[in-house]
Each structure stands twice: as C-alpha cells, then as structure tokens.
C-alpha cells in the first residue's frame, strides 16, 4: 500500500509492507531527490539498506573491505635503496577478504550500494612499500566492485600534499576495461586554506579543483570518471564553489558537522552552504549524509538531516522548461545539420518547446508590419519546419491588422506533410502557400512584392 502526503513543501511516499519508507518528491515538478548515507563501517548490508529506506534515502555508501583488514605489513617502512625494488610480501590469509557477494541480490548491489576503497590506499605515498601495496589493493578492490556490478567506487579523500600522478595512473588503468565501473574521486570543497580571492584566507599552493583537474587531465577526461564533492563546515567563497558547477559531480557528501542547530534544535545549513546545495539541486546531483556511526547508522539519527534536505528541495521554484531540458543537461551533442539532414519530429518538438524564440520573432515581424503601410506584404519563411514561425507571422499580422501572404518553404518532405495539414485545418489556407525546394525553384525569375524574410 503506497500513498502520498504533503509535509511542508515536499511530498513523501510511505510503504507499510516492510516498515516505513520515504521517498522525497518535489510537490510540483514531481522530481525525486536522491539521497544516501555515507557510512564508516557496515556490519550487515541488509540492515544498512533497511535503515537507508526508513531514513528516506535511496542508497548506502560503504567500504568494500574492512578498513583495518591488513593484506601486508603496512607499518614496516622500506625507504632504503636496497629495498625499493622489492615487492612487499602479502600476508597469507585464508579468511575471506570481505563479505559474500550473495549477501544482496544483484539489483540491490547495482541500485543500492556505492563502494569505497580502503582509506589507507595511497598510491602517491612517499613510502615505496605503501605505494606498491596501494596499487595492488586498488586493483583488487576495483575488480571486486566490477564483479559486484556496482555503479561506482569512491577513492579515499585526496589532500593538498598528494601528488596524485600515480593515483591517476591506477584510475586510468582500471578505466581501460571495455565496460568499466565508474570511479569517483573524493575531493574536499576546501583544503582549509585557499586562494584569498576564493576563500578570503591565506593562499595555499594548490586548490582542490586544481588537484581534480590534474587527475581528470591525466585520465583524458574519461566518461566513467567523476567527482564526489565533500562539503566542509568552513565557509568558502562563492567563486570556489562556482568552479564545480560545470564539473561531473556525481555525488555531494555532507558531514553532519556542517549543520548547525536552529532555535528549535533542528539541524540546518548556513546560508552559503544552503545556496550551494540549492544550486546543485538544479543538476540533480545525489546527496549523501556522512558523520559518526551513532548518527548515520541509525534511521532516527540520520532522519533530521534528511528532513532538512527534503524541505530545502521542496522549496525550489519550478522552471516550466526544466522537464524539456533534462535530456540535454551536461550532454555532449553533435551539431545539428538541418541543411544536410532531415530532422526528426522529436527534434522539432524540442525546438517548439522554447516559446521565447517564437515570441521574439512575432514581435520583430509586428514591429516591421506596423511601420510599413502597403497593400500587402509577402513574407517568406525559409525552413518553416512544422510551422511555428508561420503561426508567429500570422499572429503579428492580426495584431497590426495588415494583409500578409506567406510562403512557407521547407525541404523536409515529412515536415511538409504537417505544414499542409495545418494549412488546410487552420485559418491559413488563403494566406499561406507551402512550397518544397523543387516547387520553389520553378518560381525563380518571377517578380514578387515587398518581402520580409
């Protein structure tokens, strides 16, 4: 049994089949806010997914392998020249590396889990032993994520001291597979100090965006490479956050420490954090709440933070054109070639969903007609498509009470069918002549009255 109810500015869907489940939906647009819980450790994935559902979230972010599972003696440092070429020995362990892949169904792994690589993996460490172990562990855990069909894995958080060249090499090698699992680089929104123009603080050597840009460039901007942006309680400048709007941000992690309590004792975000979050809502980026285990590992502990994000999401104004633009948001498209190719009907419909352009055309024609006092004005619409410009010209003629005659020239034979249907069914017949390029060429050399094209 599923029903909906309004809770200030946002709708939740509840299911009573297996407890209470909330789905955050915008009350007007119907868009869903995708939320997750970013956990430090997970004892039972099934229990974690149940907790995620009752918290109003959709997925869990968790380590693939227990953070303290040693596969080699990491505490031994071998920086001496004689040992640098030696491959560190792995511990011979007979116990499983991690939980069984049969703990969840394949659909639950795909839709409900995003994996995290072990936090000790540092391919750019100054220690040769740690570098080699990190490379092997990166490869092993990434292969596990691919085996489980996870959507993506998240790297350990990068720091300002990381060179990231070897990390980029590990990522590039992993993404060279035919159907690679996504890799998301965890990047803080600030290293604590930054460019004074961006953050108003003493300048550091490098910014988080520059580190990310270095990794992205070394990986040739692979389409399966994304970024997880981790918010900080420290307020950063507007320009520092605006840099991320054009990046492939796959998820935003919000630590509970970023929130502050309002007068009623509920967690809220400060204005600058709130502005950034509301701007990222437009890109439909998933959000994940992270924090200590006492907060994120219990549905009641995480729910106040989820409720605030849901409330903030429900207050977003709805742009009437958003639904039409969704399919083209952050999508690299080949340029249209309407002179060489015939466009599909869906493409014409996309063009026609932008009323501003046609309103401007109508206004331009109206201004022209209002200044020309002649018996009749001939307008030629070259590339009439399905007729929106023809309709705009006729509407301008009605506004100015002018006598017009329109030649609608269109090379797409399929679109001409629609034009002729509109000519016969709408009040166009006495004022519109539909022509194809072949029929238009026969009229060359004829003298025509004043033309507005």
């Amino acid at each position: 049994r599923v029903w909906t109810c309004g809770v200030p500015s946002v709708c939740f869907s509840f299911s009573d089949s297996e407890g209470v489940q909330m789905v955050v939906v915008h009350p007007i647009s119907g868009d869903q806010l995708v939320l997750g819980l970013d956990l430090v450790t997970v004892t039972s994935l099934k229990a974690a997914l149940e907790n995620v559902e009752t918290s109003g979230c959709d997925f869990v972010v968790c380590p693939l392998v227990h953070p303290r599972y040693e596969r080699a003696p990491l505490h031994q440092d071998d920086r001496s020249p004689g040992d640098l070429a030696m491959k560190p020995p792995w511990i011979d362990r007979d116990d499983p590396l991690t939980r069984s892949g049969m703990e969840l169904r394949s659909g639950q792994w795909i839709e409900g889990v995003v994996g995290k690589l072990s936090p000790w993996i540092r391919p750019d460490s100054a220690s040769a032993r740690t570098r080699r172990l990190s490379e092997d562990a990166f490869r092993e855990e990434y292969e596990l994520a691919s085996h489980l069909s996870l959507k993506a894995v998240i790297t350990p958080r990068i720091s300002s001291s990381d060179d990231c060249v070897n990390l980029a090499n590990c990522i590039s090698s992993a993404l060279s597979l035919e159907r690679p699992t996504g890799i998301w680089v965890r990047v803080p929104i600030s290293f604590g100090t930054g460019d004074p123009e961006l953050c108003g603080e003493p300048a550091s050597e490098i910014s988080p965006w520059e580190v990310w840009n270095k990794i992205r460039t070394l990986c040739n901007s692979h389409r399966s490479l994304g970024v997880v942006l981790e918010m900080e309680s420290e307020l950063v400048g507007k320009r520092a956050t605006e840099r991320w709007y054009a990046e492939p941000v796959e998820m935003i992690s919000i630590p509970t420490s970023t929130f502050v309590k309002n007068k009623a004792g509920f967690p809220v975000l400060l204005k600058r954090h709130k502005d950034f979050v509301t701007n990222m809502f437009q890109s439909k980026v998933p959000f994940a709440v992270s924090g200590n285990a006492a907060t994120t590992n219990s549905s009641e502990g995480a729910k106040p933070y989820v409720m605030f994000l849901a409330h903030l999401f429900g207050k977003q104004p709805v742009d009437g054109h958003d639904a039409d633009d969704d399919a083209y948001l952050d999508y690299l498209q080949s340029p249209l070639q309407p002179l060489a190719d015939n466009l599909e009907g869906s493409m014409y419909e996309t063009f026609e969903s932008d009323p501003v352009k046609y309103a401007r055309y109508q206004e331009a024609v109206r201004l022209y007609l209002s200044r020309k006092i002649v018996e009749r004005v001939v307008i030629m619409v070259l590339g009439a498509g399905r007729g929106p410009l023809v309709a705009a010209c006729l509407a301008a003629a009605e506004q100015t009470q002018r006598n017009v005659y329109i030649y609608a020239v269109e090379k797409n034979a399929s679109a001409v069918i629609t034009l002729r249907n509109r000519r016969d069914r709408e009040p166009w017949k006495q004022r519109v002549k539909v022509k194809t390029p072949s029929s238009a060429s026969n009229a060359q050399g004829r003298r025509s009255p004043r033309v507005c094209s």
Side-chain angles (χ1 to χ4, degrees):
R1 205 155 53 110
V2 177
W3 64 93
T4 60
C5 66
V7 177
S9 302
V10 69
C11 294
F12 297 91
S13 297
F14 298 89
S15 172
D16 61 358
S17 58
E18 297 180 358
V20 180
Q21 179 181 353
M22 300 193 301
V23 179
V24 181
V25 180
H26 196 282
I28 300 175
S29 67
D31 292 336
Q32 181 179 345
L33 175 62
V34 181
L35 295 168
L37 293 182
D38 190 347
L39 308 181
V40 178
T41 59
V42 175
T43 304
S44 168
L45 264 179
K46 284 187 177 180
L49 287 178
E50 291 174 359
N51 175 47
V52 160
E53 291 180 352
T54 56
S55 299
C57 297
D58 307 278
F59 64 94
V60 62
V61 182
C62 64
L64 291 173
V65 179
H66 194 284
R68 290 198 295 269
Y69 187 100
E70 277 195 343
R71 280 160 279 183
L74 287 174
H75 59 280
Q76 297 181 12
D77 194 357
D78 63 343
R79 298 188 188 184
S80 60
D83 293 335
L84 287 179
M86 296 176 58
K87 189 175 181 64
W90 282 61
I91 299 176
D92 185 15
R93 302 183 66 154
D94 189 48
D95 53 331
L97 173 67
T98 186
R99 57 177 59 85
S100 169
M102 297 180 66
E103 184 172 341
L104 300 177
R105 300 188 307 274
S106 59
Q108 292 176 303
W109 283 113
I110 296 171
E111 298 295 335
V113 179
V114 175
K116 291 195 292 187
L117 301 180
S118 294
W120 59 265
I121 293 179
R122 293 294 176 189
D124 294 280
S125 170
S127 167
R129 176 181 295 274
T130 303
R131 285 199 305 272
R132 293 178 181 274
L133 293 176
S134 296
E135 291 169 5
D136 290 340
F138 186 104
R139 187 182 308 108
E140 182 180 35
E141 294 187 18
Y142 182 79
E143 289 175 355
L144 173 63
S146 299
H147 171 74
L148 297 174
S149 301
L150 298 189
K151 181 185 301 182
V153 292
I154 302 174
T155 68
R157 168 178 161 147
I158 62 173
S159 66
S160 58
S161 61
D162 290 339
D163 181 61
C164 293
V165 172
N166 201 26
L167 172 62
N169 182 55
C170 293
I171 293 173
S172 183
S173 297
L175 295 179
S176 63
L177 300 175
E178 184 178 354
R179 290 186 296 175
T181 297
I183 297 180
W184 299 346
V185 181
R186 185 184 288 266
V187 181
I189 202 169
S190 168
F191 283 143
T193 59
D195 188 330
E197 186 178 12
L198 302 179
C199 305
E201 299 175 347
S204 66
E205 295 181 358
I206 194 169
S207 71
W209 182 87
E210 290 171 316
V211 176
W212 153 249
N213 189 51
K214 181 178 181 179
I215 296 173
R216 180 249 309 277
T217 302
L218 291 172
C219 295
N220 294 320
S221 299
H222 197 285
R223 62 183 179 181
S224 296
L225 178 64
V227 62
V228 172
L229 200 56
E230 189 172 90
M231 294 183 63
E232 302 282 345
S233 56
E234 177 187 359
L235 296 176
V236 296
K238 184 178 180 181
R239 287 187 56 196
T241 57
E242 285 178 343
R243 274 181 154 181
W244 296 101
Y245 292 157
E247 300 298 337
V249 179
E250 300 290 348
M251 189 180 79
I252 294 178
S253 178
I254 308 183
T256 53
S257 59
T258 306
F259 292 82
V260 296
K261 295 290 183 69
N262 62 8
K263 293 181 180 179
F266 293 103
V268 296
L269 291 174
L270 297 175
K271 185 178 185 305
R272 192 174 295 177
H273 292 107
K274 189 188 301 183
D275 291 343
F276 176 69
V277 169
T278 53
N279 283 326
M280 295 307 293
F281 281 152
Q282 306 301 319
S283 299
K284 297 180 172 54
V285 176
F287 288 79
V289 176
S290 63
N292 56 50
T295 301
T296 56
N297 285 7
S298 72
S299 60
E300 293 304 318
K303 193 174 292 183
Y305 304 95
V306 173
M307 291 287 287
F308 174 78
L309 291 174
H311 175 73
L312 195 62
F313 178 71
K315 291 171 61 178
Q316 300 308 299
V318 177
D319 187 340
H321 307 299
D322 281 353
D324 300 316
D325 297 338
D326 286 347
Y328 306 98
L329 184 65
D330 292 336
Y331 182 77
L332 185 61
Q333 305 172 62
S334 299
L336 294 175
Q337 302 292 341
L339 296 179
D341 305 320
N342 289 331
L343 302 181
E344 298 89 351
S346 59
M347 189 60 65
Y348 284 119
E349 185 175 343
T350 300
F351 292 157
E352 294 163 8
S353 65
D354 177 15
V356 177
K357 175 175 66 177
Y358 301 104
R360 295 291 184 268
Y361 269 103
Q362 180 177 326
E363 177 64 13
V365 175
R366 185 193 68 80
L367 290 173
Y368 177 86
L369 295 177
S370 64
R371 297 170 185 172
K372 298 295 180 182
I373 310 299
V374 294
E375 183 179 348
R376 187 177 71 163
V377 176
V378 174
I379 302 174
M380 299 185 70
V381 180
L382 307 180
R386 302 196 304 182
L389 287 178
V390 177
C393 292
L394 290 174
E398 292 294 332
Q399 290 177 328
T400 56
Q401 298 296 310
R402 292 289 188 267
N403 181 19
V404 300
Y405 191 80
I406 300 176
Y407 286 96
V409 182
E410 175 55 52
K411 77 172 186 65
N412 188 340
S414 299
V416 167
I417 296 173
T418 302
L419 281 173
R420 286 174 174 162
N421 273 280
R422 293 191 68 174
R423 177 199 63 189
D424 293 340
R425 296 178 183 177
E426 298 185 27
W428 289 15
K429 197 161 189 178
Q430 304 302 320
R431 297 188 291 174
V432 178
K433 177 70 173 180
V434 178
K435 285 185 172 289
T436 62
S438 58
S439 62
S441 63
N442 295 329
Q444 287 183 356
R446 298 179 184 176
R447 187 168 180 267
S448 61
R450 186 184 302 271
V451 174
C452 167
S453 59

